[in-house]
Amino acid sequence: MESIHLEIRGRVQGVGFRWFVVEKAEELSLAGWVRNTPQGSVEIAAAGQRDALASFETAVKAGPRGARIEEVRRLTPVTPDSLPRRFEIVR
C-alpha cells in the first residue's frame, strides 16, 4: 500500500470539494481523510494501490464543477497505517 499527501489551492471551499474527494476515494477503495485548512485550501491524505492513487490524484486535480484548482502541492507522505480505513472528512 502507498500513500499521497496533497494540498489543493484555488476555489476549493464552499463548492462541494470535500464531498467530491470522499466519493472518488470510496469508488477507488482508498483509506484516508480530507479537510479544509484555515488558509482556504484543502488537505488530503490517502492510501491504497498505486493505480488507484494515480486515478484519484487525476480526479482531484480536475475537481468538481464549481471548483477552480490553481495548485496541487505534494506534502510529506503519511504512513498508510496511520490513516482511517474508511475515507472521511475531518475538521
Side-chain angles (χ1 to χ4, degrees), residues 2-18:
E2 297 184 18
S3 70
I4 57 173
H5 189 191
L6 306 171
E7 179 183 21
I8 315 300
R9 294 182 180 185
R11 184 171 182 236
V12 292
Q13 290 190 12
V15 294
F17 193 86
R18 291 177 300 160

Side-chain angles (χ1 to χ4, degrees), residues 43-90:
E43 184 180 2
I44 303 167
Q49 299 301 316
R50 179 180 293 168
D51 58 337
L53 287 172
S55 295
F56 179 70
E57 190 168 355
T58 298
V60 165
K61 286 179 178 178
R65 190 181 334 184
R68 188 180 70 248
I69 311 306
E70 295 174 0
E71 181 182 11
V72 177
R73 287 188 28 208
R74 285 189 168 268
L75 304 174
T76 304
V78 297
T79 58
D81 293 340
S82 71
L83 298 174
R85 296 192 73 60
R86 180 176 171 93
F87 204 94
E88 61 187 36
I89 295 173
V90 297

Side-chain angles (χ1 to χ4, degrees), residues 15-46:
V15 294
F17 193 86
R18 291 177 300 160
W19 290 107
F20 170 82
V21 169
V22 169
E23 183 177 285
K24 291 298 176 190
E26 288 177 346
E27 286 174 14
L28 296 165
S29 301
L30 299 177
W33 50 261
V34 59
R35 67 179 169 200
N36 285 341
T37 70
Q39 297 78 25
S41 62
V42 170
E43 184 180 2
I44 303 167

